Amino acid sequence: MLRVRFAPSPTGFLHIGSARTFIFNWLYARRNGGTMILRIDDTDIERNTQASLDSIVEGLNWLDLGWDEQYRQSERLALHKQVAEAIFQKGWAYHDFTPAETEEGEKPRLGAAWLFHAGMRELSHEESDRRAAAGEPFVLRYRVPRDIVEDVRFTDGVYGEQSKSTADIEDFALLRSDGTPTYHLASCADDADLRISHIIRGQDHLTNTFKHILIFRAAEVAAPEFAHLPLLVAPDGTKLSKRRHGPVVSVTTYRDAGFLPDAFINFLCLLGWSPKDDREKMSRQDLIDAFSFEGINKSNAVVNFTETDPFDPKAVWLNSQYIHAMPLEELAQKLLPVVCASGFSVDPSKMLAIAPLIQERIKLLGDVVTVADFFLVDELPGYDTAELIPQKGDLATALKVLERAREILAKTEFNHQSLEEALRAEAGRLGIKAGQMFQPIRVAVCGRKNAPPLFETMAVLGRDTCLRRIDQAIQKLQS
RNA sequence: GGCGCUAUCGUCUAACGGUUAGGACGGAGCCCUCUCAAGGCUUAAAUACGGGUUCGAUUCCCGUUAGCGCUACCA
């Protein structure tokens, strides 16, 4: 039975790199009929917060991929200690009574000294037990073999054959001096207990894997398969972090800007993975069908954001592709809450009428507020009167156009075809180009030069609004 | 410092010894057009460096350089 897990530690919001790890695990599970497990790795009591846990679950829910089983490490401490005890009993670990380093005094510990604290490995059972019983604090450390040097090996699903000499692996901690398990111990104990078959995680764990293999060996359980994912990095090449890069690394930032979950998932999948053909836009099912470790790259992938542009252009483009392909009813329905959240009020039927006019003009759902604002307000915000004057025209032309337009709009049937025919004919009569005719009207009605097609726009706006705005424009020109 | 990993256009990537090194985003230009978009077409842009192996290296090996990761009683 194939079982994979996503194991975030609740010490911050859901990071886009974490989201990608979740997605790849999920894809692998779904591709192979396996089980997806969410495990909250909350062994670091100091840094865990409920807010962070909530934010992670919120982010995962938005992705809407789901999972099959859920666990929390802090509820499994007894298991961790039991595994630690067993490892200790078999002689694979020892008590280290060396006091914790007092921060700052961190010296580079040259030579082999960094591997372990002198004297602690050789403590006799009696003395070790006596000091522990006397209440002297200790760290339980893994006893990495020192008399014989061995290469620890495994085959990574992405990186291939890996090996590291035990001479380069330090005696790492299993239990802290307060008795709580470290990440390495808790993670391995749970992976074994939950019968995880494949560990798919960030490449930052690649070298930790040797320690984990040592733990599995001491616990006398078979190690799972491993596959490490290349990291997501910032344009400067450094690992994405909240501290350095701000909210652009949070999944909720993408959600709030109006990314569609499918587009976001699609984008993340294309970072460090390729279907090996030219496909870019891929549905969940496409991704499931195409996913394999073969397609995963080995080098880190840059998420291309800047100070002025928080989102990778490719993510934005992909999102626009999803918006363009979306049925209008669905688009209108998704736009409605976005519009309301910005303080506008619009009824669903009007939103549905607006949707086709902006579908190809928005890349993110949030763009609706800037692209369709003039549909949503009664009074147009102020605009530069000079924009009413068409190319190669003057104030008089603009006035003439608007006055004629008012007359025509007052009597013409208010639909695309009639409006266009009437206004084009009028342009001919005035001896000006259609574009010169339409610009003053567009600016008067929309409040700006760049807007959706004029006639459809006016039809949605309605006769009263259009006439009122044209009157206002005429007044502006006359004053 | 030690150990590990990585290296193709600005970015994401394809090419698993033989290609004019392909695609996408972004950029530039043109077309379409009532503006803006969308769409179509065209274009600039890459194998980090140095050695091997080979008839032939983006591809295999070694070195250099650079980047990243681990080196905590964080995960």
Side-chain angles (χ1 to χ4, degrees):
Chain A
M1 189 53 181
L2 187 147
R3 290 166 67 81
V4 298
R5 48 54 161 199
F6 171 63
S9 68
T11 56
F13 46 54
L14 182 65
H15 193 280
I16 55 179
S18 304
R20 188 184 64 147
T21 301
F22 177 94
I23 293 165
F24 282 7
N25 271 280
W26 184 89
L27 250 19
Y28 193 66
R30 292 294 172 261
R31 175 85 174 94
N32 300 292
T35 302
M36 174 75 203
I37 294 162
L38 172 64
R39 190 181 73 206
I40 307 298
D41 278 11
D42 55 351
T43 53
D44 183 0
I45 316 141
E46 299 286 308
R47 299 196 303 156
N48 293 333
T49 65
Q50 182 63 37
S52 166
L53 213 194
D54 293 343
S55 142
I56 288 169
V57 172
E58 188 186 340
L60 294 178
N61 283 337
W62 178 65
L63 255 29
D64 194 30
L65 296 173
W67 52 91
D68 306 310
E69 296 173 19
Q70 183 170 334
Y71 302 91
R72 201 170 167 146
Q73 276 196 329
S74 57
E75 292 164 356
R76 304 167 59 83
L77 290 172
L79 169 75
H80 307 150
K81 287 183 184 177
Q82 186 187 316
V83 171
E85 177 64 17
I87 290 174
F88 175 68
Q89 287 304 333
K90 282 179 239 165
W92 284 104
Y94 61 93
H95 295 335
D96 181 350
F97 295 95
T98 310
E101 290 197 16
T102 50
E103 207 49 46
E104 295 306 312
E106 209 176 308
K107 45 194 175 288
R109 288 202 284 179
L110 292 172
W114 69 279
L115 289 171
F116 52 85
H117 293 130
M120 292 298 157
R121 287 171 60 99
E122 299 78 22
L123 249 35
S124 71
H125 238 285
E126 297 72 46
E127 183 182 357
S128 183
D129 287 349
R130 181 180 54 73
R131 287 171 71 170
E136 189 175 343
F138 64 85
V139 167
L140 185 73
R141 281 188 190 282
Y142 194 97
R143 188 191 299 277
V144 178
R146 299 297 169 201
D147 41 353
I148 50 157
V149 172
E150 174 207 353
D151 280 342
V152 181
R153 302 175 178 283
F154 71 96
T155 303
D156 189 273
V158 172
Y159 289 89
E161 296 299 320
Q162 302 294 315
S163 80
K164 182 166 180 159
S165 168
T166 50
D168 294 317
I169 301 174
E170 76 281 14
D171 286 0
F172 53 95
L174 261 20
L175 247 31
R176 305 189 186 96
S177 55
D178 63 1
T180 58
T182 62
Y183 160 74
H184 298 302
L185 193 252
S187 178
C188 291
D190 282 330
D191 286 334
D193 185 64
L194 297 173
R195 305 184 323 283
I196 302 300
S197 62
H198 297 260
I199 295 180
I200 305 167
R201 63 203 339 178
Q203 193 243 42
D204 47 349
H205 285 298
L206 190 64
T207 40
N208 285 332
T209 305
F210 299 104
K211 296 175 186 171
H212 298 173
I213 284 172
L214 255 19
I215 295 178
F216 287 122
R217 184 188 293 177
E220 294 176 340
V221 295
E225 299 290 317
F226 294 92
H228 288 87
L229 271 17
L231 263 23
L232 254 33
V233 297
D236 65 2
T238 59
K239 197 172 159 181
L240 292 176
S241 84
K242 180 187 183 180
R243 234 172 60 81
R244 283 179 62 99
H245 308 107
V248 294
V249 306
S250 170
V251 170
T252 51
T253 304
Y254 284 76
R255 178 199 61 188
D256 296 342
F259 275 88
L260 271 6
D262 280 15
F264 181 70
I265 290 166
N266 195 158
F267 168 67
L268 250 24
C269 284
L270 261 17
L271 250 25
W273 174 81
S274 160
K276 302 286 187 183
D277 52 35
D278 286 342
R279 283 182 293 173
E280 298 273 350
K281 182 170 180 249
M282 298 177 76
S283 69
R284 291 174 189 215
Q285 193 58 48
D286 290 340
L287 292 167
I288 291 171
D289 293 341
F291 187 76
S292 80
F293 293 155
E294 310 291 309
I296 299 177
N297 275 298
K298 296 184 178 75
S299 49
N300 294 346
V302 174
V303 181
N304 211 1
F305 58 82
T306 63
E307 304 79 8
T308 52
D309 201 349
F311 305 115
D312 191 307
K314 195 141 190 178
V316 174
W317 172 78
L318 257 178
N319 201 61
S320 76
Q321 296 300 303
Y322 278 80
I323 287 178
H324 296 173
M326 190 179 283
L328 288 173
E329 293 73 21
E330 189 183 342
L331 178 60
Q333 181 226 324
K334 286 191 189 312
L335 251 20
L336 216 45
V338 175
V339 165
C340 293
S342 297
F344 298 105
S345 66
V346 59
D347 57 273
S349 65
K350 186 170 185 189
M351 195 68 247
L352 187 57
I354 297 171
L357 299 185
I358 62 170
Q359 184 168 36
E360 285 178 343
R361 275 162 264 265
I362 59 173
K363 289 177 157 57
L364 305 174
L365 293 178
D367 293 343
V368 64
V369 179
T370 50
V371 172
D373 57 339
F374 58 86
F375 282 117
L376 308 170
V377 294
D378 286 333
E379 289 302 316
L380 242 28
Y383 56 87
D384 184 359
T385 310
E387 299 203 323
L388 287 164
I389 296 164
Q391 286 285 305
K392 293 178 183 157
D394 52 20
L395 193 141
T397 322
L399 261 179
K400 174 76 91 186
V401 165
L402 290 175
E403 276 160 4
R404 292 294 179 84
R406 183 174 54 179
E407 291 168 25
I408 291 168
L409 261 44
K411 63 184 186 203
T412 306
E413 201 182 334
F414 236 68
N415 61 52
H416 176 173
Q417 198 186 355
S418 308
L419 288 168
E420 178 158 11
E421 278 171 7
L423 289 170
R424 276 190 192 279
E426 187 61 24
R429 256 173 261 132
L430 288 172
I432 58 174
K433 289 186 174 178
Q436 292 177 296
M437 179 79 193
F438 301 152
Q439 182 184 322
I441 305 175
R442 173 179 295 108
V443 173
V445 165
C446 301
R448 69 175 108 92
K449 282 200 266 192
N450 299 337
L454 185 56
F455 314 109
E456 293 94 316
T457 298
M458 291 198 292
V460 171
L461 244 20
R463 195 193 308 267
D464 293 347
T465 302
C466 291
L467 287 177
R468 193 174 73 248
R469 289 181 181 177
I470 287 173
D471 284 339
Q472 287 164 344
I474 292 172
Q475 275 175 22
K476 274 168 165 279
L477 282 177
Q478 286 169 336
S479 60

